[in-house]
Amino acid sequence: MNTAGRLIEGRLKHLETHLEQENPVLLKTVQSFKKLDRIAYRTGLLDTDESYATQIPWWPLISVLGTFSSGKSTFINHYLGYKLQRTGNQAVDDKFTVTCYSREKTAHALPGVALDSDPRFPFYQMSEDIELVAKGEGQRIDSYLQLKTCPSEQLRGKILIDSPGFDADAQRTSTLKITDHIIDLSDLVLVFFDARHPEPGAMHDTLDHLVSNTINRNDAGKFLYILNQIDSAAREDNPEEVVAAWQRALGERGLTAGRFYTIYNPEAAVPIADDNLRQRFERKRDADLEEIHNRMHEVEIERAYRIVGVLERTARDIEERAIPAISEAVSRWKRRVLWGDAVAFSLLLIALIGITINLGYWEGFRFAPPWLDSLMTNPVAQISSGVGIVAVILGLHFVIRALSARSLLRRLRKQSAHLAIRGNLANAFLRNTKPWRSIFSTSPAGWGRGAKKRLTQVKEDADNYVQSLNDRFTNPSGEETFSLSEMGHQAPAREKQADAEVMETVTANQS
Ligand SMILES: Nc1nc2c(ncn2[C@@H]2O[C@H](COP(=O)(O)OP(=O)(O)OP(=O)(O)O)[C@@H](O)[C@H]2O)c(=O)[nH]1
Ligand SMILES: [Mg+2]
């Protein structure tokens, strides 16, 4: 195996080690992806330094964005049950912190370089992206990103990102670029605002960036807008007005009710003296927090189904789209080669006849060049001229094969882009045009009985994984099962009650 192949093997091993701790069903899907890889290597769809498994994001990403000191880190610490992030009233975080689960009992930080070079994480080669927008900054990836691991059960199967306070005016291009990149990659984005700022209008640009720009995206459903620290409003004469002012500000930017939450952190909050008021605040907070936490859990489930969906789709894409496209190109190529041969050899024959007639080698229909007698008596000359003739014929044939192949490549590349499937169709096609492949072979290179069997097995496996995920994530009565066709879409919105039950099962299964 070459070094590139070994590298990819190492990466998959790494992936498996992590999934072993987090989700055994997904661990098995890695094996299935490897089966597809093998088919793709043989057919030429993938290079041996590629894998279908390394380009999908395995961990759902939840990012926490928002204004300075709005309580992002406090919220994350509370969610994890660990004092992982520093908090405080000045701007504390100046980097993005990517947190992921590890059994190790201590939380530790790794440099951003770990994120940049580890394909498990969606920041893989982020430095190149940064370099594109801010020259020279790519090398300083460490000053933008850090990685922390934490043994919190809440973190199993997901990645959480804490971010520096967002200020559209003061932000450097590279930070804005990372923020946007993170938003694009995230499955769920929690946008925090601080109720201690009674005047939301002052943050015009920030609101524009975090609200106006997000509300019309086609993945707008993944944004939750959270007004935090509303305990501070309890001290105002009219607490409702604080919330209402924010609601208006967000409403002006297109946010309709439903994804606007008001919460505060019980430990960081200022005690509320008035009993009635306190209870009212607590009820609202608890309901909203529960909804936010449920969404955070759901993301993990959705992602697991989506990965099995990708597996199934990749298998189908190979069988139903890539292989037929290759076969079609190969038969076009065969036709071109056969026609090319016919035309070229006819022309050659006509030319030869013409030349020999001109040279006076013909006596009527009898071929009688002056050197014919000496050739007939010289076996060495016979053999070498025989070899010469065969070489010319073969040479011409292979030139025609190569030219015909080349004439089809552009079309194939276009088709490849149009089909939008993973894998290099042109490369796979060229395998079939190699000199040692007969133009009369019936199926594309690497697509034999073994490959077909393996592919069928992967599809069956995918169905089984969906079953296992259903067993794992849905309630025992089986009311909420997913089918493969549903997996491309968002998991259906569920009743709160059912949700709670689902989550009980998840936690029970995980412990
Ligand atoms: N009253 C009150 N204070 C809070 C609440 N949540 C956080 N705080 C306090 O607000 C301050 C800022 O909290 P952080 O969690 O550091 O805020 P952050 O958004 O991470 O801030 P940066 O990382 O600097 O952007 C800290 O002093 C917290 O103790 C809350 O719900 N109510
Ligand atoms: Mg912070």
Side-chain angles (χ1 to χ4, degrees), residues 81-93:
Y82 278 83
K83 278 236 164 317
L84 189 70
Q85 291 289 75
R86 271 196 320 129
T87 60
N89 246 327
Q90 275 83 44
V92 174
D93 284 298

Side-chain angles (χ1 to χ4, degrees), residues 67-74 86-93 162-165 196 228-229 231 264-265 268-270:
T67 52
F68 286 106
S69 296
S70 53
K72 302 178 294 292
S73 302
T74 309
R86 271 196 320 129
T87 60
N89 246 327
Q90 275 83 44
V92 174
D93 284 298
D162 192 7
S163 56
R196 290 177 303 178
N228 194 26
Q229 314 207 12
D231 55 290
Y264 62 95
N265 184 285
V270 213

Side-chain angles (χ1 to χ4, degrees), residues 367-431:
F367 185 57
W371 37 261
L372 190 61
D373 285 341
S374 58
L375 182 73
M376 293 315 262
T377 53
N378 184 347
V380 178
Q382 275 175 25
I383 292 174
S384 45
S385 48
V387 169
I389 290 169
V390 170
V392 167
I393 291 175
L394 281 182
L396 192 56
H397 172 66
F398 281 116
V399 166
I400 288 165
R401 284 171 65 123
L403 288 178
S404 311
R406 191 150 10 125
S407 73
L408 283 162
L409 279 183
R410 244 186 60 177
R411 184 196 144 84
L412 205 57
R413 295 216 169 94
K414 249 199 215 147
Q415 195 182 3
S416 191
H418 174 71
L419 283 177
I421 53 174
R422 274 200 66 198
N424 190 338
L425 287 184
N427 194 41
F429 161 70
L430 286 178
R431 284 246 168 131

